[in-house]
Amino acid sequence: MRFQHSAVLWRDFPELVPGVLTARGLNSAVSVDDRLVPYAETAAKRLATATESELPEIQAWRRAFTRMGLKPTQYRCASESLLRRFRKEGALPRLHPLIDLCNAVSIAYAIPVAVFDLSRVAGDLEVRYATGEETYLTFSGDDERPAPGEVVFADAEGRAHARRWTNRQSGLSAVRPDTADVLIVAEALHETARADIEALMDALATDLTTLWPGTTPSPAVLTPSAPRFDTAV
């Protein structure tokens, strides 16, 4: 399976820095509690001096959403939504060890981190502008059709696994208790995105190998000249 961003999206957002990795042989029978604490502390320290909307990572996504014709306060990127909840409640809901870990990493770096169950993605996955023919399954089980021009994560069968870029993931490929193999994608647009994405992916890879010793993630940072990531079979 190949993951990539479309050439048109690279053209429109040349500041984009995506980090990608796959992890295989996962299970939900692990405890991630100790790994979450330092990430939560980092997020709390940043939020002690600024709201999430003032962070440069979030401001960059707000500008991108505005360029896409979306109201930034109505459609927030995933990391902003998590940080907002964390600031108000002091914690994040616990869902699955892998999701809990990725959410913690996301708030620490203020960067959206998406996780897709590879068994539910058909063929290649591309981040691109929707044609209007894609289908999207909500977490409540409803089918939607993203509007033409909306940025989606689309597979070879025209199924959208995320809507409005980093705003809303599909219920179709969401992590479940029996999920074993995943694709993890982190994307940033701010000035220091390259260094931050590299640090985020390295930290996540270390956590994954520590928590799930059988997996051997190999993170990659994509660029316009090297925009594709091929997953191992």
Side-chain angles (χ1 to χ4, degrees):
M1 183 266 248
R2 172 176 289 177
F3 172 82
Q4 65 182 19
H5 293 73
S6 71
V8 176
L9 204 61
W10 281 111
R11 179 201 67 194
D12 293 347
F13 296 90
E15 67 273 35
L16 172 66
V17 181
V20 191
L21 65 76
T22 52
R24 297 181 181 275
L26 306 180
N27 61 72
S28 60
V30 300
S31 173
V32 297
D33 293 354
D34 292 343
R35 314 298 292 193
L36 305 186
V37 172
Y39 293 126
E41 290 175 344
T42 296
K45 185 176 180 180
R46 296 194 73 185
L47 291 173
T49 58
T51 63
E52 64 277 359
S53 63
E54 296 173 307
L55 300 177
E57 300 89 341
I58 302 304
Q59 289 181 341
W61 276 109
R62 283 191 166 210
R63 290 192 295 270
F65 275 44
T66 298
R67 286 159 63 185
M68 291 187 289
L70 302 173
K71 293 181 179 179
T73 55
Q74 181 178 2
Y75 301 108
R76 294 179 169 88
C77 74
S79 54
E80 181 177 359
S81 295
L82 288 171
L83 281 163
R84 191 165 184 259
R85 184 163 188 170
F86 180 74
R87 175 174 56 81
K88 290 182 175 182
E89 301 179 9
L92 294 177
R94 304 298 289 272
L95 304 170
H96 179 285
L98 178 61
I99 298 303
D100 298 342
L101 173 64
C102 289
N103 284 347
V105 170
S106 181
I107 63 171
Y109 288 89
I111 291 173
V113 178
V115 187
F116 304 96
D117 186 326
L118 281 171
S119 70
R120 295 176 180 267
V121 178
D124 296 341
L125 186 64
E126 183 176 46
V127 187
R128 59 169 172 78
Y129 292 112
T131 64
E133 298 299 318
E134 296 82 5
T135 59
Y136 172 89
L137 181 68
T138 70
F139 276 85
S140 60
D142 297 324
D143 287 317
E144 298 178 350
R145 282 197 180 275
E150 181 181 318
V151 178
V152 296
F153 283 61
D155 69 16
E157 293 184 355
R159 299 183 300 192
H161 294 272
R163 289 196 61 184
R164 293 182 287 275
W165 207 343
T166 61
N167 168 253
R168 209 168 133 216
Q169 187 173 350
S170 168
L172 178 63
S173 53
V175 170
R176 295 164 171 77
D178 61 349
T179 295
D181 304 328
V182 298
L183 174 75
I184 301 177
V185 181
E187 297 162 292
L189 299 160
H190 60 288
E191 187 175 351
T192 60
R194 175 80 190 199
D196 294 337
I197 284 288
E198 288 177 349
L200 182 157
M201 298 306 289
D202 287 345
L204 189 53
T206 297
D207 287 335
L208 289 169
T209 54
T210 300
L211 293 164
W212 291 276
T215 192
T216 54
S218 298
V221 177
L222 307 183
T223 66
S225 59
R228 300 178 181 87
F229 177 83
D230 292 299
T231 68
V233 177

